[in-house]
Coordinates of all heavy atoms in Angstrom, one line a residue:
A1 N -8.0 -8.4 -4.3 CA -8.0 -7.2 -5.0 C -8.3 -6.0 -4.0 O -9.2 -6.1 -3.1 CB -9.0 -7.2 -6.1
V2 N -7.6 -4.9 -4.2 CA -7.9 -3.7 -3.4 C -7.3 -2.5 -4.2 O -6.4 -2.6 -5.0 CB -7.2 -3.7 -2.0 CG1 -5.7 -3.8 -2.1 CG2 -7.6 -2.6 -1.2
G3 N -7.9 -1.4 -4.1 CA -7.4 -0.1 -4.7 C -7.6 1.0 -3.7 O -8.2 0.9 -2.6
D4 N -7.1 2.2 -4.1 CA -7.3 3.4 -3.4 C -6.7 3.4 -1.9 O -7.4 3.7 -1.0 CB -8.8 3.8 -3.4 CG -9.3 4.0 -4.8 OD1 -9.6 3.0 -5.4 OD2 -9.3 5.1 -5.3
L5 N -5.5 3.0 -1.8 CA -4.8 3.0 -0.5 C -4.4 4.5 -0.1 O -4.4 4.8 1.0 CB -3.6 2.1 -0.5 CG -3.8 0.7 -0.8 CD1 -2.5 -0.1 -0.8 CD2 -4.8 0.0 0.1
H6 N -4.1 5.3 -1.2 CA -3.7 6.7 -1.0 C -2.7 6.9 0.1 O -2.8 7.7 1.0 CB -5.0 7.5 -0.6 CG -5.9 7.6 -1.8 ND1 -5.7 8.5 -2.8 CD2 -7.1 7.0 -2.1 CE1 -6.7 8.4 -3.7 NE2 -7.6 7.4 -3.3
V7 N -1.5 6.2 -0.1 CA -0.4 6.4 0.8 C 0.2 7.8 0.6 O 0.4 8.3 -0.5 CB 0.7 5.3 0.5 CG1 2.0 5.6 1.3 CG2 0.1 4.0 0.9
G8 N 0.4 8.5 1.7 CA 0.9 9.9 1.7 C 2.4 10.0 2.1 O 3.0 9.0 2.4
E9 N 2.9 11.2 2.1 CA 4.3 11.5 2.5 C 4.6 11.1 3.9 O 5.7 10.7 4.2 CB 4.6 13.0 2.3 CG 4.6 13.4 0.8 CD 5.0 14.9 0.7 OE1 6.2 15.2 0.9 OE2 4.2 15.7 0.4
T10 N 3.6 11.2 4.8 CA 3.8 10.9 6.2 C 3.3 9.5 6.6 O 3.4 9.2 7.8 CB 3.2 12.0 7.1 OG1 1.7 12.0 6.8 CG2 3.7 13.4 6.8
S11 N 2.8 8.8 5.7 CA 2.3 7.4 6.0 C 3.5 6.5 6.4 O 4.5 6.5 5.8 CB 1.7 6.8 4.8 OG 0.5 7.5 4.4
Q12 N 3.3 5.8 7.5 CA 4.3 4.9 8.1 C 3.7 3.6 8.4 O 2.9 3.5 9.3 CB 5.0 5.5 9.3 CG 5.7 6.8 9.1 CD 7.0 6.6 8.3 OE1 7.6 5.6 8.3 NE2 7.3 7.6 7.4
R13 N 4.0 2.6 7.5 CA 3.5 1.2 7.7 C 2.0 1.1 7.9 O 1.5 0.3 8.6 CB 4.2 0.6 8.9 CG 5.7 0.5 8.8 CD 6.3 -0.4 9.8 NE 7.7 -0.6 9.6 CZ 8.5 -1.5 10.2 NH1 7.9 -2.3 11.2 NH2 9.8 -1.7 9.9
A14 N 1.3 2.0 7.1 CA -0.1 2.0 7.2 C -0.8 0.7 6.7 O -1.9 0.3 7.2 CB -0.7 3.2 6.4
Y15 N -0.1 0.0 5.8 CA -0.7 -1.2 5.2 C 0.2 -2.4 5.3 O 0.1 -3.3 4.5 CB -1.0 -0.9 3.7 CG -2.1 0.2 3.6 CD1 -1.7 1.5 3.2 CD2 -3.4 0.0 4.0 CE1 -2.6 2.5 3.1 CE2 -4.3 1.0 3.9 CZ -3.9 2.3 3.4 OH -4.9 3.3 3.4
R16 N 1.2 -2.4 6.2 CA 2.1 -3.5 6.4 C 1.3 -4.8 6.7 O 1.5 -5.9 6.2 CB 3.1 -3.2 7.5 CG 4.0 -4.4 7.9 CD 4.9 -4.7 6.7 NE 5.7 -3.6 6.4 CZ 7.0 -3.4 6.9 NH1 7.5 -4.2 7.8 NH2 7.7 -2.4 6.4
D17 N 0.2 -4.6 7.6 CA -0.6 -5.8 8.0 C -1.3 -6.4 6.7 O -1.4 -7.6 6.6 CB -1.6 -5.4 9.0 CG -2.4 -6.6 9.5 OD1 -1.8 -7.6 10.0 OD2 -3.6 -6.6 9.3
L18 N -1.8 -5.5 5.9 CA -2.5 -6.0 4.7 C -1.6 -6.8 3.8 O -2.0 -8.0 3.5 CB -3.0 -4.8 3.9 CG -3.9 -5.0 2.6 CD1 -4.6 -3.7 2.2 CD2 -3.1 -5.5 1.4
F19 N -0.4 -6.3 3.5 CA 0.5 -7.1 2.6 C 1.1 -8.3 3.3 O 1.5 -9.3 2.6 CB 1.6 -6.1 2.1 CG 1.1 -5.0 1.2 CD1 1.1 -3.7 1.6 CD2 0.5 -5.4 0.0 CE1 0.7 -2.7 0.8 CE2 0.1 -4.4 -0.8 CZ 0.1 -3.0 -0.5
D20 N 1.2 -8.3 4.6 CA 1.7 -9.4 5.3 C 0.8 -10.6 5.5 O 1.2 -11.7 5.6 CB 2.2 -8.9 6.7 CG 3.0 -10.0 7.5 OD1 3.8 -10.7 6.9 OD2 2.7 -10.2 8.7
R21 N -0.5 -10.3 5.5 CA -1.5 -11.3 5.7 C -2.2 -11.8 4.5 O -2.9 -12.9 4.6 CB -2.5 -10.8 6.8 CG -3.6 -9.8 6.2 CD -4.3 -9.1 7.3 NE -5.7 -9.3 7.2 CZ -6.6 -8.6 8.0 NH1 -6.2 -7.7 8.8 NH2 -7.9 -8.9 7.9
V22 N -2.1 -11.1 3.4 CA -3.0 -11.5 2.2 C -2.6 -12.9 1.7 O -3.4 -13.5 1.1 CB -2.9 -10.4 1.1 CG1 -1.5 -10.4 0.5 CG2 -3.9 -10.6 0.1
H23 N -1.4 -13.3 1.9 CA -1.0 -14.6 1.4 C -1.8 -15.8 2.1 O -1.8 -16.9 1.5 CB 0.5 -14.9 1.6 CG 0.9 -15.1 3.0 ND1 1.2 -14.1 3.9 CD2 1.1 -16.3 3.7 CE1 1.5 -14.6 5.0 NE2 1.5 -15.9 4.9
D24 N -2.3 -15.5 3.2 CA -3.1 -16.5 3.9 C -4.4 -16.8 3.1 O -5.0 -17.9 3.3 CB -3.5 -16.1 5.3 CG -2.3 -16.1 6.3 OD1 -1.4 -16.9 6.1 OD2 -2.3 -15.2 7.2
D25 N -4.9 -15.8 2.4 CA -6.2 -15.9 1.8 C -6.2 -16.0 0.2 O -7.2 -16.3 -0.4 CB -7.0 -14.7 2.2 CG -7.2 -14.6 3.7 OD1 -7.5 -15.7 4.3 OD2 -7.1 -13.5 4.2
A26 N -5.0 -15.7 -0.4 CA -5.0 -15.5 -1.8 C -3.7 -16.0 -2.4 O -2.7 -16.1 -1.7 CB -5.3 -14.0 -2.2
D27 N -3.7 -16.2 -3.7 CA -2.6 -16.6 -4.5 C -2.0 -15.5 -5.3 O -0.8 -15.5 -5.7 CB -2.9 -17.8 -5.5 CG -3.6 -18.9 -4.8 OD1 -3.0 -19.5 -3.8 OD2 -4.7 -19.3 -5.1
V28 N -2.8 -14.5 -5.6 CA -2.4 -13.3 -6.4 C -3.1 -12.1 -5.7 O -4.2 -12.2 -5.3 CB -2.8 -13.4 -7.8 CG1 -2.4 -12.2 -8.6 CG2 -2.2 -14.7 -8.5
L29 N -2.4 -10.9 -5.8 CA -2.9 -9.7 -5.3 C -3.0 -8.7 -6.4 O -2.0 -8.4 -7.1 CB -2.1 -9.1 -4.1 CG -2.5 -7.7 -3.6 CD1 -3.9 -7.8 -3.1 CD2 -1.5 -7.2 -2.6
C30 N -4.2 -8.1 -6.7 CA -4.4 -7.1 -7.7 C -4.5 -5.8 -7.0 O -5.3 -5.6 -6.1 CB -5.7 -7.4 -8.4 SG -5.8 -8.9 -9.4
L31 N -3.8 -4.8 -7.5 CA -3.7 -3.4 -7.0 C -4.3 -2.5 -8.0 O -3.8 -2.3 -9.1 CB -2.3 -3.1 -6.7 CG -1.6 -3.9 -5.6 CD1 -0.1 -3.6 -5.6 CD2 -2.2 -3.8 -4.2
C32 N -5.5 -1.9 -7.7 CA -6.3 -1.2 -8.7 C -6.2 0.3 -8.7 O -7.1 1.0 -8.9 CB -7.8 -1.6 -8.5 SG -8.1 -3.3 -8.8
G33 N -4.9 0.8 -8.5 CA -4.7 2.2 -8.7 C -4.9 3.1 -7.5 O -5.5 2.7 -6.5
D34 N -4.5 4.4 -7.6 CA -4.5 5.3 -6.5 C -3.9 4.7 -5.2 O -4.4 4.8 -4.1 CB -6.0 5.8 -6.2 CG -6.4 6.9 -7.2 OD1 -5.6 7.2 -8.1 OD2 -7.5 7.4 -7.0
L35 N -2.8 4.1 -5.4 CA -2.0 3.5 -4.3 C -1.4 4.6 -3.5 O -1.1 4.4 -2.3 CB -1.0 2.5 -4.8 CG -1.6 1.4 -5.7 CD1 -0.5 0.5 -6.2 CD2 -2.6 0.6 -5.0
V36 N -1.1 5.7 -4.1 CA -0.5 6.9 -3.4 C -1.3 8.1 -3.7 O -2.2 8.1 -4.6 CB 1.0 7.1 -3.8 CG1 1.8 5.9 -3.5 CG2 1.1 7.4 -5.3
N37 N -1.0 9.2 -3.0 CA -1.9 10.4 -3.1 C -1.6 11.3 -4.3 O -2.5 11.8 -4.9 CB -1.7 11.3 -1.8 CG -2.7 10.9 -0.8 OD1 -3.8 10.4 -1.1 ND2 -2.4 11.2 0.5
F38 N -0.3 11.6 -4.6 CA 0.0 12.5 -5.6 C 1.0 12.0 -6.7 O 1.4 12.7 -7.6 CB 0.5 13.8 -5.0 CG -0.5 14.5 -4.1 CD1 -0.3 14.5 -2.8 CD2 -1.6 15.2 -4.7 CE1 -1.2 15.1 -1.9 CE2 -2.5 15.8 -3.8 CZ -2.3 15.7 -2.5
G39 N 1.5 10.8 -6.5 CA 2.5 10.3 -7.4 C 3.9 10.8 -7.1 O 4.8 10.7 -7.9
K40 N 4.1 11.2 -5.8 CA 5.5 11.7 -5.4 C 6.3 10.5 -5.1 O 5.8 9.5 -4.6 CB 5.4 12.6 -4.2 CG 4.6 13.9 -4.4 CD 4.5 14.7 -3.1 CE 3.8 16.0 -3.3 NZ 3.7 16.8 -2.1
T41 N 7.6 10.6 -5.3 CA 8.5 9.5 -5.1 C 8.5 9.1 -3.7 O 8.5 7.9 -3.4 CB 10.0 9.9 -5.5 OG1 10.0 10.3 -6.9 CG2 11.0 8.8 -5.3
V42 N 8.5 10.0 -2.7 CA 8.5 9.7 -1.3 C 7.3 8.9 -0.9 O 7.3 8.0 -0.1 CB 8.7 10.9 -0.4 CG1 7.4 11.8 -0.6 CG2 8.9 10.5 1.0
E43 N 6.1 9.2 -1.5 CA 4.9 8.4 -1.3 C 5.1 6.9 -1.7 O 4.7 6.0 -1.0 CB 3.7 9.0 -2.0 CG 3.4 10.4 -1.5 CD 2.3 11.0 -2.3 OE1 2.1 10.6 -3.5 OE2 1.6 11.9 -1.8
V44 N 5.7 6.8 -2.9 CA 5.9 5.4 -3.5 C 6.8 4.7 -2.6 O 6.7 3.5 -2.3 CB 6.4 5.5 -4.9 CG1 6.5 4.1 -5.5 CG2 5.4 6.3 -5.8
E45 N 7.9 5.3 -2.1 CA 8.9 4.7 -1.2 C 8.2 4.2 0.1 O 8.5 3.2 0.6 CB 10.0 5.7 -0.9 CG 10.9 5.9 -2.1 CD 11.9 7.0 -1.9 OE1 11.8 7.8 -0.9 OE2 12.9 7.1 -2.7
N46 N 7.3 5.0 0.6 CA 6.5 4.6 1.8 C 5.7 3.4 1.5 O 5.6 2.5 2.4 CB 5.7 5.8 2.3 CG 6.5 6.9 2.9 OD1 7.6 6.7 3.3 ND2 5.8 8.1 3.0
L47 N 5.0 3.4 0.4 CA 4.2 2.2 0.0 C 5.1 1.0 -0.2 O 4.7 -0.1 0.3 CB 3.5 2.5 -1.4 CG 2.8 1.4 -2.0 CD1 1.6 0.9 -1.2 CD2 2.4 1.8 -3.4
L48 N 6.3 1.2 -0.8 CA 7.1 0.0 -1.0 C 7.6 -0.6 0.3 O 7.9 -1.8 0.4 CB 8.3 0.4 -1.9 CG 8.0 0.8 -3.3 CD1 9.2 1.1 -4.1 CD2 7.1 -0.2 -4.0

């Protein structure tokens, strides 16, 4: 589980390592909100 990543418009692969490695330790990942800064589409695209 993790929350409050706050990905912004200029974020570039800020959490690629997190998502790439979590399968080594867990079977499910819970995302607890505030994943982006303002809810802008470009922020979500960066997160994705």
